Every structure is written in C-alpha cells, then in structure tokens.
Amino acid sequence: MATSAWMHGNTAMRLTEGLVSVLKEHRPEYLSEVLANYREHGVFSSQGASDVAGLVGFSNAKLSSSKTRFEGLCLLSVLVKDSSSDLFQQHCLSWLRSLQQVIQSQAPPQTIQLAVNILKDLLQYSCQLAELAREVGLNSILGILTSLLGLKTECELAAMEGMKACMIYYPRACGSLKNKLGAYFLSKMDNTSRKTQEVACQGYGHLPCLGGLADRSLGTGRAEGWTNQIQCLLASANGILAQIYQGSETDEAVQYRGPGVELPFPYLDQTDPLLFLQLQHRYTAVCLAIKHTFRADPASAVHLPVRPILNLVCRALAVNSKSINLTAEGSLRLLVLPSVHISTLEVLAELIT
C-alpha cells in the first residue's frame, strides 16, 4: 500500500467518489480490477475514526437508494474486507440488514450475486467472534434464509450459494428451516445446468449438520441424521439404476435392502423419449449428493454404511455393453452407460478418500 502514507480524509473521499463514478457505468468486466485498485490505496485502514465513519455513511447512503445500490454494495464489499475488528463488530448487524433488504428487493441478478458474495464474507468473519456470532445467529440468519428462499428463478444460483454459507457458518441457527432447505435443494438437483446441480448437491450434503448437536424434531442426533441421509441417497441411486438397467441385470444383481427411503423427486414421464437421459442426469445428482454428504462434517462420529455403498458400486459396474440387448430401448441404455459408470466410480473414489 505505497500510497497510504499520504491519504487523508478529504483525499479518501475524493478517491471514493472517483470509484463511484466508475461503478456507475455498470461494466462488470472491470469490477474486480477497479475494486482491487481501490483497496490498494488502503482507504479504510489508513483513516481516522471520523473519516472512516464518513466513508461508512457514504456507503450506507448509496445502499439506501435503488438507483445507487450497486455502487453502495461495491463500497460495502471493501468495507467488510478492510475494516478493523471494532468497526466490523459495530456495523455487522446493520450491514446484514442492508443485504437482506437488497435480496428482498428482487434486484437484478448481478446485484443479488454481489450482495450474496458480501454476505458470505460477513458470515465467515462474524462466526469467528463469539459474542457477535451469537447475535447474528439469533437475529439475522433465519430472516436472511427466508429472503434467499424467496428469490426469483434467475437468481437461484446466488440464492443457493447464500443458503450454503448460512449452513456452513451458522449450522445451528439454520435448524428450524432444515426441511424447507432440503426441499429447495432437492428441487434444483434435476437442473440441466451442471453448475446449478453441483451447488444444489453441495447444499443438500450439508443438511445433516444443521440444528445443533441433536435434532429434537426427529429425535436423532447429527450422526444418525448423516447416516440416514446416506442410506436414503443409496436407496434413490439403486431405484434409478433399476429403471436404467431394467432387463439388463442378472438374477444375481445385488439389490438394496437398507433402511433408506427414496427421495421424493418429481415424477418423470415414462413415455418421454428422453427418459433415459433424465434418469442419467438424476443418477449423477444423487451420486454428487452422496459425495458432498461424505465431505460434510457432522461434528460427531458417524457410522459409514460401507457395504451398501460397495453393493451400489458393484451393481452399477456389473452391467456393460455386452449385458444390454440393443433392440428397442437398448441403444439408449447403452448411450448413458459411460456416465453411470463414471458417476459411480466418483462415489467409490470419495469413499476411499
């Protein structure tokens, strides 16, 4: 920060006004670079308390108007990253309220994405400060989650990223919305966008970690919830395999007989010419969800159902091109076979890891 020595209140404000004039052009391709240049001046870290208060007020004023909200968010992103610990603790709750208002306003997707990026930083930093974390958990998380759940479809990726951040940094506070979050992520796991599907599966994988050390509504702890989710995903994977492999498996094929219940995915039209592609896509989603559940930390010892997982792997890999009758729908079964094998092997690799 070579220029920080000569920075003073008036210069800092002028520099900030220059930044805002650039931001008004709404050229997102330059956003990252211009904010990095602004931060290099050390505008916030080099100022006195009164000057910083002025910059905070300037940012708040920009946030309060829909016409200047985007500029305000850009300034807030720098404030969150560069403010002192005292300043952060002083303003964190009000910043979270401002972000929630932006999300509720149904602003353009670009603005919502920026608000969610700032939200992720706020949650990450605040959860490390015990007293502040308690206030955020009690007063902010449920409202933010509710606002994210209400976002329009074109903002679904940003919404899920925000939900996931709440679940990672404030798992206990998210517990009462666990069922709604689960239903939302499940509804997005069939999405044809691989990025959206991946984030939905990541969010689904974190569900067993929510609600504290014990989930009183179900009478089971995190460990039992984690294992139960794996079993339900295994039941779903086996159910999908049975549809894809119908007529191609031998009598010795290993069937799933565990305690899991198949997930309530939306109904697929069995007469749809693209049914096998839809089943393949759904199988990929379930395998991704298994992988991300493996990676989630339930903060307690868990029982890993190794045998049912290996049974799934063996069942999926037992069918090959020689097993499939190429008449009727056989060619479509053969078409999706490599993807089914790859998704299954990724589960096996994650199990070994």
Side-chain angles (χ1 to χ4, degrees):
M1 298 196 177
T3 58
S4 62
W6 56 264
M7 290 295 291
H8 52 83
N10 184 56
T11 306
M13 188 58 73
R14 291 296 184 187
L15 184 64
T16 302
E17 290 172 352
L19 170 67
V20 170
S21 70
V22 174
L23 297 175
K24 286 179 179 177
E25 299 299 319
H26 285 270
R27 300 286 294 277
E29 66 269 27
Y30 294 107
L31 180 60
S32 177
E33 186 175 357
V34 73
L35 289 178
N37 290 339
Y38 180 72
R39 291 187 68 203
E40 190 63 28
H41 283 283
V43 174
F44 296 114
S45 59
S46 64
Q47 303 307 303
S50 60
D51 294 328
V52 170
L55 291 168
V56 172
F58 187 65
S59 171
N60 291 341
K62 293 290 181 181
L63 280 170
S64 64
S65 170
S66 59
K67 294 181 179 180
T68 59
R69 185 177 290 141
F70 188 78
E71 298 101 273
L73 285 172
C74 291
L75 292 173
L76 180 57
S77 71
V78 180
L79 263 173
V80 170
K81 291 179 183 297
D82 291 351
S83 60
S84 66
S85 179
D86 289 342
L87 183 70
F88 181 84
Q89 293 187 72
Q90 179 183 351
H91 293 283
C92 180
L93 291 176
S94 65
W95 288 340
L96 284 171
R97 285 192 294 271
S98 295
L99 291 177
Q100 186 178 348
Q101 289 170 2
V102 171
I103 293 169
Q104 288 174 334
S105 71
Q106 299 288 353
Q110 178 187 347
T111 303
I112 296 295
Q113 184 63 63
L114 181 55
V116 168
N117 289 343
I118 300 168
L119 172 66
K120 291 190 287 188
D121 285 339
L122 277 171
L123 297 179
Q124 180 183 2
Y125 302 152
S126 64
C127 75
Q128 301 173 50
L129 304 167
E131 186 174 338
L132 177 61
R134 185 180 65 82
E135 289 189 62
V136 171
L138 289 173
N139 301 316
S140 302
I141 296 300
L142 291 183
I144 291 170
L145 282 174
T146 301
S147 299
L148 290 168
L149 285 165
L151 276 172
K152 49 196 174 185
T153 303
E154 52 263 45
C155 297
E156 62 187 8
L157 191 56
M160 288 191 292
E161 290 176 350
M163 294 174 205
K164 192 173 67 169
C166 292
M167 296 163 72
I168 291 172
Y169 299 117
Y170 287 90
R172 291 193 180 204
C174 298
S176 61
L177 288 179
K178 181 176 180 178
N179 290 338
K180 286 187 177 180
L181 290 167
Y184 186 93
F185 288 125
L186 188 67
S187 72
K188 305 300 179 184
M189 284 165 62
D190 269 341
N191 197 289
T192 53
S193 163
R194 182 57 189 257
K195 177 63 176 176
T196 300
Q197 184 185 56
E198 177 81 26
V199 176
C201 293
Q202 289 172 358
Y204 200 88
H206 279 284
L207 289 175
C209 302
L210 305 187
L213 295 177
D215 191 336
R216 302 298 182 186
S217 64
L218 297 178
T220 59
R222 284 186 179 185
E224 288 79 8
W226 186 92
T227 302
N228 180 65
Q229 176 156 307
I230 293 289
Q231 291 283 5
C232 290
L233 288 166
L234 288 172
S236 301
N238 277 277
I240 298 169
L241 272 186
Q243 294 182 71
I244 297 175
Y245 285 173
Q246 187 176 16
S248 301
E249 294 185 285
T250 65
D251 293 338
E252 291 77 30
V254 180
Q255 304 295 318
Y256 176 78
R257 293 185 174 85
V261 177
E262 292 189 35
L263 302 179
F265 280 111
Y267 172 78
L268 293 179
D269 182 358
Q270 301 299 301
T271 63
D272 192 322
L274 300 183
L275 174 64
F276 285 99
L277 294 177
Q278 294 168 347
L279 289 171
Q280 169 221 313
H281 191 67
R282 183 169 288 182
Y283 184 78
T284 297
V286 173
C287 289
L288 281 171
I290 293 173
K291 286 170 55 180
H292 289 298
T293 305
F294 283 167
R295 295 175 183 178
D297 181 9
S300 57
V302 296
H303 172 68
L304 182 62
V306 175
R307 175 54 58 189
I309 296 169
L310 292 178
N311 285 345
L312 171 69
V313 173
C314 292
R315 179 180 186 181
L317 299 181
V319 172
N320 55 43
S321 58
K322 296 178 181 179
S323 312
I324 298 175
N325 185 341
L326 295 182
T327 59
E329 298 171 333
S331 58
L332 293 177
R333 299 181 198 275
L334 183 61
L335 182 67
V336 303
L337 189 63
S339 174
V340 170
H341 284 179
I342 290 170
S343 295
T344 306
L345 288 171
E346 288 177 354
V347 169
L348 177 61
E350 195 68 35
L351 173 66
I352 295 169
T353 302

